[in-house]
Structures are given as C-alpha cells and as structure tokens.
Amino acid sequence: MHIAMVGAGYVGLVSGSCLADFGHEVSCIDADAAKIEALKAGKMPIFEPGLAELVANNVRARRLSFSTDLVGAVRDAQAVFIAVGTPSRRGDGHADLSFVYQAARAIAAGLDGFTVVVTKSTVPVGTGDEVERIIRETRPDADFAVVSNPEFLREGAAIDDFKRPDRIVIGVDDKRAKAVMTEIYRPLYLNKAPFVFTSRRTSELTKYAANAFLATKITFINEIADLCEQVGADVQDVARGIGLDKRIGSKFLHAGPGYGGSCFPKDTQALIKTAQDHGAPVRIVEVVAAVNDQRKRAMARKVLTACGGSVRGKTIAVLGLTFKPNTDDMRESPAISIITALQDCGARINAYDPEGMDQARQVIDDLTFFYDPYSCCEKAHALVIITEWDAFRALDFDRIKSLLVTPILVDLRNIYDPDELDRKEFDYSCVGRGKVPPLGP
Ligand code: UDX
C-alpha cells in the first residue's frame, strides 16, 4: 500500500519506517527541508535505538523515501498519517493543534481517489471531526475518511512497541477505511495482536486515558516512596508486593524523581483541560500533574539535605540529564528542575549524559559537561544520579570516592543497594528506602 507519513519526528519517523518494514511503500514528509536532506543522507534527527538501521534497510529496499512534497505524496497514497507535533499551548495547557490543522489543509489539496486520513498524533477528543470538517471545506469533492490511530510508543523502545504492540486502537466509522487500516496492519493482524476497533472519539480519548493512568501509577508509587522514607519501609519491596497482583501489574511502579518526557506532562494537561471544558473534571489527574511538578523540585531539596543543607559554592556531579535512558530527549526532564534549583542555591554543576548533552545545552545554562562518569566526579562535593542509563549501573565507587571531595551519593533512581554503599562508607540517599527509625526507649 502507498502511505504518506506527514511529520518525520519521534512518532512519524518510527511509524513510517516500521510500516515500510511491513512491506508498504512509505513517503515520509516533513516541512523541515534540512531534516529531510539529513534523512536522505542517512542522518537521524533523533536518537532511537535501531532506527538508523531500520531506515537504511527500507530506503535501500526502496520502500521508504523522504520528501518535502506533501501534496505529491498524498496524491499517490491510499492512506495519509498525520504525525505532527501537538505541544502544550503556551499558558493554558490545551494541546496546540495548529500543526495538525495545517497538515489537514495541505493534505486536502492532494487528495486523489478514496484516501484514509489517519490522525496518529495524540489529539484531544473531537479533533478528528475538525480535521474532517477542514478537509471537506477545502475539498467538497474529495472522497476520504478520517480515522484515529493513536500511538503507544515509548521513546527508547519505540520500534519494538510498534512491531509488538499490546494492542492497536483504531477509531473508524467507514467500512472502506476499516478495510484499508486492516490491510495496513495486516502483519500485526496475522500475529494476532489485539485490535480495538471503536469510534473515532473513543479512540482519541483512549490515548489520553492510557497516558494519564500511567502517569497516575508512577505518581502513586512516588508518594508511597515518600511515606516509606518516613516509616522506614522499602518502596521497591512495596512495588513488588503490590505489582504481583495481576490486577495492578508490576510495570511503571519504579519510584523516582517524577515523570518527564514529551507525552505524560502535555497529555495529562490536555486531558485536564478537555475534561474541564466538558464539565467532567478529572480531579485525580489534576492532582497527579500538580504532585509531579512539586516532586521534581523536591528532589533538589533531597540533594541539599544530603549536602548538609547548603550547596553554595559547591560543585555537584550529575549523571543523567535526559527524561529517561536510551533517548536524547530532554523535554520536561526532572534534571532541568533539579539542576536549576541547585544552581539557584549557589551550586556549580558538572554533568554527563551518554546522549542528551547536545539537547541539554539548549535548555540548561552554565553546565560543565564531561564525557565519562568519573571525570564528571573530579573535585565534586556530591554525586547525583538522575537518569538510570545502563552506563551508570556498575560504577567503581572506590574510584569515585577518590575523586569526590566528600563521599555523598544521591541515587534518584534506586540503582544501588544502600547496604553496599554503606559498606563503602558513602553517605547514600535514595528514593523511598527509609531507614527503620531507632526503637523507642
Ligand atoms: C510514554 C508512554 O509510555 C507511551 O505509551 C506513550 O506513547 C508516550 O508516552 P515515554 O514518554 O517515551 O512513553 O516514556 P515512558 O517510558 O513512559 O516514561 C515516561 C516517564 O515516566 C519518564 O520520565 C520515566 O522516567 C518515568 N517513569 C516511568 C517512572 O518514573 N517510573 C516508572 O516506573 C516508569
């Protein structure tokens, strides 16, 4: 099938490459000519494990191409995916749909023959109706159907999530469109991946409900972690103890500095706004978003406490800047809040991240960058681990102790065993693994 993928970002590039790998002919479109030229030269605009090879294989097989010619690509396509950004609108948290609507108008111009227009981007309930209205207004003669097909791709695992999804959700009311979507995902159909065919609005809301629930689950275990610190319990054992209940499930129960990324923060805000606008506020999600924002700042206080209450004039070594490992993405990373709070308290920051430093330069000022964990620690007064990259999971603490001014480690991802660090005479702080209070008299 001929497919046009509008948007060559985290979602469009991965989705387009995977659909090409399924055997379809995909033309990946972007308005950014420099990005398209880079892609044609085999240079990826994002860090995603396995993506460069997937793109190269499908370009070589002539199933995947890159272009800025949206109208031409739409003319040849039976299905056109809208995979452009839907960032939070400045100031009010609504999703900014201007790129989606621009794409809809441009797509309308190229429609030729029955075409399925698919919203892959995360869009508020009712956006599909508006996309349909814009296209019909622009091209009353066109024969098309608008379908919702949200993505559930995690950065760093996006290719696997696309090829081995827990489910495919498709919001479609048109029989011909349903047949086209079934054909597009035939390889997954044959692999018995669960398909959820539903209405367009239900599909759009399903995406937000999924992300809001995951954000809630993370925030729940983060608050339990705070309680664990007060009562001397271990949040990792609590997480295991509840996660073994199949009704709860063990995933997304890792306590940490709060969730970041390009999705949870913006999608929770967009859902909150949609719910408020429709008089059915999602109060739980409102609290989750507020608690998560406060948590990132609270992590800086944990570092201050570990450093004796002040970091003024001190150097703090930070390992991990990205919002999660295996990505270069700094969007809403807890590191931004934590580092700027420490700088406001007079700390100098040494930083190392395997992939995120180029993006970090654009969002955090006055960082001193290093290119390995050990040089980052030299003459620092404390070491803080913010992102759980594999590269930080087997550090040589004898060497680190020799480099630090004071052996202070704040492990915000609970990578290490407190007893091991105690044996190495580190002053070790972590998340949710409280020390049992001394027994009363
Ligand atoms: C998320 C959803 O998982 C994905 O389905 C959706 O399509 C896009 O948004 P992503 O934002 O890439 O994916 O990352 P994810 O792995 O979900 O982590 C999001 C944030 O939650 C990260 O900051 C991560 O550190 C944090 N997190 C995740 C936790 O703090 N604890 C956990 O147990 C899991």
Side-chain angles (χ1 to χ4, degrees):
M1 191 167 286
H2 288 265
I3 294 172
M5 182 65 65
V6 180
Y10 281 97
V11 173
L13 191 49
V14 170
S15 303
S17 309
C18 289
L19 288 173
D21 220 42
F22 284 172
H24 299 301
E25 280 194 42
V26 179
S27 176
C28 212
I29 304 296
D30 203 286
D32 180 342
K35 182 189 283 190
I36 292 297
E37 284 316 303
L39 281 163
K40 284 180 174 176
K43 191 175 176 322
M44 296 300 108
I46 57 171
F47 174 83
E48 181 64 43
L51 182 61
E53 185 188 0
L54 184 72
V55 166
N57 291 346
N58 284 282
V59 166
R60 196 178 311 114
R62 307 173 73 78
R63 287 193 298 265
L64 180 62
S65 60
F66 299 101
S67 168
T68 56
D69 175 15
L70 188 152
V71 173
V74 169
R75 191 169 297 120
D76 301 337
Q78 285 106 325
V80 183
F81 283 74
I82 299 177
V84 295
T86 55
S88 276
R89 203 160 60 191
R90 289 203 179 290
D92 68 6
H94 277 288
D96 175 355
L97 297 172
S98 55
F99 301 115
V100 171
Y101 296 153
Q102 271 169 14
R105 272 185 281 277
I107 288 165
L111 290 176
D112 180 11
F114 178 66
T115 308
V116 178
V117 179
V118 187
T119 53
K120 172 65 77 177
S121 303
T122 302
V123 292
V125 179
T127 302
D129 304 351
E130 183 59 14
V131 166
E132 183 173 325
R133 189 194 63 73
I134 289 172
I135 295 176
R136 195 166 305 293
E137 185 181 74
T138 313
R139 284 282 306 280
D141 62 308
D143 183 13
F144 70 99
V146 177
V147 163
S148 164
N149 173 220
E151 52 84 13
F152 297 97
L153 309 179
R154 292 166 296 158
E155 289 183 36
I159 294 170
D160 196 57
D161 284 349
F162 194 100
K163 291 193 164 186
R164 277 169 285 284
D166 290 338
R167 77 308 199 179
I168 298 106
V169 175
I170 298 175
V172 59
D173 307 315
D174 176 296
K175 278 193 178 21
R176 293 178 298 169
K178 182 174 178 178
V180 167
M181 295 305 287
T182 304
E183 179 58 25
I184 286 172
Y185 284 108
R186 172 187 295 277
L188 295 178
Y189 214 71
L190 298 177
N191 290 348
K192 304 276 184 285
F195 278 70
V196 177
F197 284 104
T198 183
S199 74
R200 205 161 53 196
R201 286 174 165 249
T202 305
S203 172
E204 290 164 342
L205 184 55
T206 299
K207 167 67 186 181
Y208 281 101
N211 271 6
F213 186 83
L214 291 168
T216 301
K217 197 172 178 186
I218 292 165
T219 306
F220 174 80
I221 202 65
N222 283 340
E223 290 211 303
I224 293 295
D226 290 349
L227 179 56
C228 284
E229 290 178 5
Q230 299 311 313
V231 300
D234 183 322
V235 71
Q236 290 187 315
D237 289 348
V238 169
R240 185 160 182 274
I242 64 174
L244 286 167
D245 181 328
K246 289 187 179 52
R247 296 169 300 172
I248 296 173
S250 57
K251 297 210 170 136
F252 280 60
L253 284 175
H254 299 296
Y259 60 77
S262 63
C263 296
F264 287 174
K266 86 174 168 62
D267 292 352
T268 46
Q269 284 305 327
L271 179 63
I272 288 165
K273 292 298 177 189
T274 297
Q276 285 170 349
D277 291 351
H278 290 81
V282 283
R283 287 177 291 268
I284 288 178
V285 184
E286 291 173 7
V287 171
V288 162
V291 166
N292 190 64
D293 279 348
Q294 290 152 16
R295 181 171 194 78
K296 296 178 186 177
R297 289 191 292 274
M299 292 297 112
R301 284 197 296 276
K302 187 183 274 281
V303 177
L304 279 174
T305 304
C307 294
S310 169
V311 292
R312 188 157 302 285
K314 293 179 180 173
T315 298
I316 306 295
V318 168
L319 295 185
L321 297 169
T322 51
F323 81 96
K324 64 182 280 198
N326 300 319
T327 181
D328 59 352
D329 199 342
M330 284 294 296
R331 285 176 289 185
E332 303 285 332
S333 171
I336 299 170
S337 311
I338 295 166
I339 286 172
T340 43
L342 293 172
Q343 290 173 323
D344 291 347
C345 294
R348 287 184 304 278
I349 305 291
N350 287 355
Y352 168 64
D353 185 288
E355 294 294 341
M357 293 193 290
D358 288 344
Q359 304 240 10
R361 267 188 196 87
Q362 297 164 40
V363 292
I364 310 177
D365 297 329
D366 305 325
L367 289 181
T368 305
F369 291 104
F370 292 83
Y371 292 86
D372 72 275
Y374 299 99
S375 52
C376 184
C377 291
E378 203 154 352
K379 297 191 175 55
H381 293 77
L383 168 58
V384 182
I385 299 177
I386 298 183
T387 312
E388 68 280 26
W389 284 92
D390 286 347
F392 306 151
R393 289 186 179 278
L395 295 170
D396 174 349
F397 283 105
D398 295 328
R399 185 176 170 195
I400 285 182
K401 192 171 181 180
S402 71
L403 294 165
L404 290 173
V405 171
T406 38
I408 296 170
L409 170 59
V410 182
D411 177 4
L412 297 182
R413 295 291 183 167
N414 288 339
I415 295 174
Y416 288 99
D417 172 357
D419 295 339
E420 180 201 349
L421 273 294
D422 287 347
R423 282 194 297 276
K424 292 188 179 294
E425 295 180 328
F426 265 79
D427 180 346
Y428 177 78
S429 308
C430 55
V431 175
R433 296 186 287 177
K435 291 188 170 39
V436 178
L439 290 178

mmCIF file of all heavy atoms in Angstrom, residues 151-155 207 211 214 218 252-254 259-260 263-264 323-324 413, ligand 1:
data_model
loop_
_atom_site.group_PDB
_atom_site.id
_atom_site.type_symbol
_atom_site.label_atom_id
_atom_site.label_comp_id
_atom_site.label_asym_id
_atom_site.label_seq_id
_atom_site.Cartn_x
_atom_site.Cartn_y
_atom_site.Cartn_z
ATOM 1 N N GLU A 151 -0.739 6.409 18.807
ATOM 2 C CA GLU A 151 0.476 5.612 19.007
ATOM 3 C C GLU A 151 0.658 5.396 20.508
ATOM 4 O O GLU A 151 0.243 6.204 21.321
ATOM 5 C CB GLU A 151 1.694 6.328 18.420
ATOM 6 C CG GLU A 151 1.897 7.747 18.849
ATOM 7 C CD GLU A 151 2.637 7.933 20.175
ATOM 8 O OE1 GLU A 151 3.232 6.945 20.689
ATOM 9 O OE2 GLU A 151 2.601 9.044 20.714
ATOM 10 N N PHE A 152 1.301 4.252 20.823
ATOM 11 C CA PHE A 152 1.620 3.958 22.227
ATOM 12 C C PHE A 152 3.105 3.623 22.323
ATOM 13 O O PHE A 152 3.513 2.617 22.898
ATOM 14 C CB PHE A 152 0.759 2.784 22.728
ATOM 15 C CG PHE A 152 -0.716 3.084 22.711
ATOM 16 C CD1 PHE A 152 -1.511 2.664 21.653
ATOM 17 C CD2 PHE A 152 -1.299 3.824 23.729
ATOM 18 C CE1 PHE A 152 -2.875 2.934 21.625
ATOM 19 C CE2 PHE A 152 -2.670 4.125 23.715
ATOM 20 C CZ PHE A 152 -3.444 3.677 22.650
ATOM 21 N N LEU A 153 3.925 4.483 21.673
ATOM 22 C CA LEU A 153 5.366 4.194 21.550
ATOM 23 C C LEU A 153 6.128 4.865 22.693
ATOM 24 O O LEU A 153 5.959 6.058 22.928
ATOM 25 C CB LEU A 153 5.900 4.719 20.212
ATOM 26 C CG LEU A 153 5.134 4.311 18.942
ATOM 27 C CD1 LEU A 153 5.796 4.939 17.717
ATOM 28 C CD2 LEU A 153 5.055 2.799 18.802
ATOM 29 N N ARG A 154 6.966 4.064 23.391
ATOM 30 C CA ARG A 154 7.848 4.653 24.399
ATOM 31 C C ARG A 154 9.170 5.021 23.741
ATOM 32 O O ARG A 154 9.734 4.204 23.003
ATOM 33 C CB ARG A 154 8.122 3.633 25.521
ATOM 34 C CG ARG A 154 6.927 3.288 26.400
ATOM 35 C CD ARG A 154 7.245 2.046 27.215
ATOM 36 N NE ARG A 154 7.447 0.897 26.320
ATOM 37 C CZ ARG A 154 8.122 -0.197 26.658
ATOM 38 N NH1 ARG A 154 8.683 -0.306 27.844
ATOM 39 N NH2 ARG A 154 8.262 -1.188 25.789
ATOM 40 N N GLU A 155 9.651 6.225 24.000
ATOM 41 C CA GLU A 155 10.979 6.570 23.467
ATOM 42 C C GLU A 155 12.004 5.590 24.021
ATOM 43 O O GLU A 155 11.935 5.196 25.182
ATOM 44 C CB GLU A 155 11.339 8.013 23.838
ATOM 45 C CG GLU A 155 10.509 9.030 23.070
ATOM 46 C CD GLU A 155 10.904 10.458 23.369
ATOM 47 O OE1 GLU A 155 12.109 10.701 23.561
ATOM 48 O OE2 GLU A 155 10.023 11.314 23.434
ATOM 49 N N LYS A 207 -6.291 7.160 24.140
ATOM 50 C CA LYS A 207 -4.876 7.517 24.200
ATOM 51 C C LYS A 207 -4.580 8.342 25.453
ATOM 52 O O LYS A 207 -3.637 8.091 26.196
ATOM 53 C CB LYS A 207 -4.486 8.297 22.942
ATOM 54 C CG LYS A 207 -3.145 8.982 23.014
ATOM 55 C CD LYS A 207 -1.983 8.008 23.067
ATOM 56 C CE LYS A 207 -0.689 8.778 23.283
ATOM 57 N NZ LYS A 207 0.488 7.895 23.319
ATOM 58 N N ASN A 211 -2.233 7.347 28.886
ATOM 59 C CA ASN A 211 -1.092 8.098 29.413
ATOM 60 C C ASN A 211 -1.376 8.675 30.788
ATOM 61 O O ASN A 211 -0.516 8.675 31.662
ATOM 62 C CB ASN A 211 -0.692 9.202 28.433
ATOM 63 C CG ASN A 211 0.318 8.693 27.411
ATOM 64 O OD1 ASN A 211 0.634 7.494 27.376
ATOM 65 N ND2 ASN A 211 0.819 9.574 26.578
ATOM 66 N N LEU A 214 -1.026 5.857 33.328
ATOM 67 C CA LEU A 214 0.390 5.530 33.579
ATOM 68 C C LEU A 214 1.045 6.611 34.441
ATOM 69 O O LEU A 214 1.801 6.313 35.375
ATOM 70 C CB LEU A 214 1.130 5.368 32.253
ATOM 71 C CG LEU A 214 0.739 4.144 31.428
ATOM 72 C CD1 LEU A 214 1.302 4.245 30.006
ATOM 73 C CD2 LEU A 214 1.202 2.861 32.096
ATOM 74 N N ILE A 218 2.661 6.018 38.262
ATOM 75 C CA ILE A 218 4.007 6.458 38.655
ATOM 76 C C ILE A 218 3.917 7.395 39.862
ATOM 77 O O ILE A 218 4.659 7.266 40.838
ATOM 78 C CB ILE A 218 4.697 7.192 37.487
ATOM 79 C CG1 ILE A 218 5.001 6.215 36.344
ATOM 80 C CG2 ILE A 218 5.983 7.881 37.952
ATOM 81 C CD1 ILE A 218 5.327 6.922 35.043
ATOM 82 N N PHE A 252 5.772 0.204 35.629
ATOM 83 C CA PHE A 252 5.511 1.613 35.972
ATOM 84 C C PHE A 252 5.267 1.801 37.456
ATOM 85 O O PHE A 252 4.483 2.642 37.864
ATOM 86 C CB PHE A 252 4.355 2.171 35.100
ATOM 87 C CG PHE A 252 4.855 2.559 33.733
ATOM 88 C CD1 PHE A 252 5.424 1.610 32.922
ATOM 89 C CD2 PHE A 252 4.815 3.861 33.282
ATOM 90 C CE1 PHE A 252 5.939 1.944 31.682
ATOM 91 C CE2 PHE A 252 5.319 4.210 32.025
ATOM 92 C CZ PHE A 252 5.883 3.233 31.230
ATOM 93 N N LEU A 253 5.999 1.029 38.243
ATOM 94 C CA LEU A 253 5.969 1.184 39.703
ATOM 95 C C LEU A 253 7.367 1.449 40.242
ATOM 96 O O LEU A 253 7.695 1.085 41.359
ATOM 97 C CB LEU A 253 5.375 -0.083 40.357
ATOM 98 C CG LEU A 253 3.854 -0.231 40.261
ATOM 99 C CD1 LEU A 253 3.415 -1.572 40.845
ATOM 100 C CD2 LEU A 253 3.129 0.910 40.993
ATOM 101 N N HIS A 254 8.228 2.076 39.384
ATOM 102 C CA HIS A 254 9.576 2.436 39.849
ATOM 103 C C HIS A 254 9.538 3.863 40.381
ATOM 104 O O HIS A 254 9.334 4.811 39.601
ATOM 105 C CB HIS A 254 10.601 2.340 38.719
ATOM 106 C CG HIS A 254 10.731 0.971 38.141
ATOM 107 N ND1 HIS A 254 11.188 -0.111 38.871
ATOM 108 C CD2 HIS A 254 10.411 0.472 36.922
ATOM 109 C CE1 HIS A 254 11.172 -1.192 38.125
ATOM 110 N NE2 HIS A 254 10.707 -0.862 36.935
ATOM 111 N N TYR A 259 7.886 11.972 36.629
ATOM 112 C CA TYR A 259 7.908 11.659 35.190
ATOM 113 C C TYR A 259 8.176 12.922 34.372
ATOM 114 O O TYR A 259 7.834 14.031 34.762
ATOM 115 C CB TYR A 259 6.604 11.010 34.735
ATOM 116 C CG TYR A 259 5.350 11.833 34.944
ATOM 117 C CD1 TYR A 259 5.039 12.893 34.104
ATOM 118 C CD2 TYR A 259 4.463 11.547 35.977
ATOM 119 C CE1 TYR A 259 3.897 13.643 34.295
ATOM 120 C CE2 TYR A 259 3.311 12.300 36.173
ATOM 121 C CZ TYR A 259 3.039 13.346 35.324
ATOM 122 O OH TYR A 259 1.903 14.114 35.524
ATOM 123 N N GLY A 260 8.822 12.729 33.240
ATOM 124 C CA GLY A 260 9.076 13.824 32.291
ATOM 125 C C GLY A 260 8.685 13.348 30.903
ATOM 126 O O GLY A 260 7.795 12.513 30.752
ATOM 127 N N CYS A 263 5.353 13.435 26.486
ATOM 128 C CA CYS A 263 3.972 12.955 26.451
ATOM 129 C C CYS A 263 3.215 13.108 27.767
ATOM 130 O O CYS A 263 2.183 13.787 27.812
ATOM 131 C CB CYS A 263 3.970 11.502 26.002
ATOM 132 S SG CYS A 263 4.575 11.341 24.328
ATOM 133 N N PHE A 264 3.710 12.438 28.831
ATOM 134 C CA PHE A 264 2.927 12.479 30.068
ATOM 135 C C PHE A 264 2.596 13.900 30.514
ATOM 136 O O PHE A 264 1.445 14.217 30.806
ATOM 137 C CB PHE A 264 3.643 11.721 31.180
ATOM 138 C CG PHE A 264 3.608 10.228 31.026
ATOM 139 C CD1 PHE A 264 4.325 9.419 31.889
ATOM 140 C CD2 PHE A 264 2.860 9.610 30.020
ATOM 141 C CE1 PHE A 264 4.311 8.030 31.761
ATOM 142 C CE2 PHE A 264 2.840 8.232 29.878
ATOM 143 C CZ PHE A 264 3.561 7.445 30.754
ATOM 144 N N PHE A 323 15.147 12.615 30.090
ATOM 145 C CA PHE A 323 13.994 12.307 30.964
ATOM 146 C C PHE A 323 13.904 10.819 31.261
ATOM 147 O O PHE A 323 13.189 10.410 32.187
ATOM 148 C CB PHE A 323 12.700 12.854 30.343
ATOM 149 C CG PHE A 323 12.092 11.991 29.279
ATOM 150 C CD1 PHE A 323 11.084 11.094 29.592
ATOM 151 C CD2 PHE A 323 12.507 12.078 27.952
ATOM 152 C CE1 PHE A 323 10.502 10.299 28.617
ATOM 153 C CE2 PHE A 323 11.935 11.290 26.974
ATOM 154 C CZ PHE A 323 10.936 10.388 27.302
ATOM 155 N N LYS A 324 14.637 10.026 30.465
ATOM 156 C CA LYS A 324 14.719 8.575 30.693
ATOM 157 C C LYS A 324 15.912 8.083 29.917
ATOM 158 O O LYS A 324 16.468 8.806 29.066
ATOM 159 C CB LYS A 324 13.433 7.893 30.234
ATOM 160 C CG LYS A 324 13.193 8.019 28.739
ATOM 161 C CD LYS A 324 11.895 7.399 28.291
ATOM 162 C CE LYS A 324 11.995 5.917 28.145
ATOM 163 N NZ LYS A 324 10.904 5.339 27.334
ATOM 164 N N ARG A 413 17.267 7.094 41.296
ATOM 165 C CA ARG A 413 16.615 6.004 40.551
ATOM 166 C C ARG A 413 16.794 4.657 41.248
ATOM 167 O O ARG A 413 16.528 3.617 40.653
ATOM 168 C CB ARG A 413 17.197 5.924 39.116
ATOM 169 C CG ARG A 413 16.897 7.145 38.267
ATOM 170 C CD ARG A 413 15.412 7.244 37.922
ATOM 171 N NE ARG A 413 15.145 8.395 37.040
ATOM 172 C CZ ARG A 413 14.015 8.601 36.371
ATOM 173 N NH1 ARG A 413 13.021 7.738 36.515
ATOM 174 N NH2 ARG A 413 13.837 9.646 35.604
HETATM 175 C C1 UDX B 1 5.038 7.372 27.236
HETATM 176 C C2 UDX B 1 4.103 6.167 27.199
HETATM 177 O O1 UDX B 1 4.728 5.097 27.905
HETATM 178 C C3 UDX B 1 3.872 5.755 25.748
HETATM 179 O O2 UDX B 1 2.966 4.671 25.707
HETATM 180 C C4 UDX B 1 3.271 6.959 25.014
HETATM 181 O O3 UDX B 1 3.020 6.642 23.651
HETATM 182 C C5 UDX B 1 4.235 8.119 25.087
HETATM 183 O O4 UDX B 1 4.500 8.451 26.448
HETATM 184 P P1 UDX B 1 7.613 7.862 27.049
HETATM 185 O O5 UDX B 1 7.184 9.238 27.467
HETATM 186 O O6 UDX B 1 8.518 7.714 25.882
HETATM 187 O O7 UDX B 1 6.279 6.978 26.718
HETATM 188 O O8 UDX B 1 8.376 7.200 28.276
HETATM 189 P P2 UDX B 1 7.983 6.225 29.457
HETATM 190 O O9 UDX B 1 8.873 5.070 29.399
HETATM 191 O O10 UDX B 1 6.527 6.022 29.512
HETATM 192 O O11 UDX B 1 8.415 7.122 30.763
HETATM 193 C C6 UDX B 1 7.776 8.358 30.942
HETATM 194 C C7 UDX B 1 8.342 8.974 32.219
HETATM 195 O O12 UDX B 1 7.920 8.220 33.357
HETATM 196 C C8 UDX B 1 9.867 9.010 32.257
HETATM 197 O O13 UDX B 1 10.280 10.252 32.809
HETATM 198 C C9 UDX B 1 10.231 7.872 33.195
HETATM 199 O O14 UDX B 1 11.442 8.112 33.886
HETATM 200 C C10 UDX B 1 9.060 7.891 34.157
HETATM 201 N N1 UDX B 1 8.821 6.598 34.782
HETATM 202 C C11 UDX B 1 8.421 5.550 34.025
HETATM 203 C C12 UDX B 1 8.964 6.481 36.167
HETATM 204 O O15 UDX B 1 9.333 7.435 36.850
HETATM 205 N N2 UDX B 1 8.711 5.290 36.755
HETATM 206 C C13 UDX B 1 8.314 4.199 36.026
HETATM 207 O O16 UDX B 1 8.106 3.143 36.616
HETATM 208 C C14 UDX B 1 8.166 4.331 34.622
#
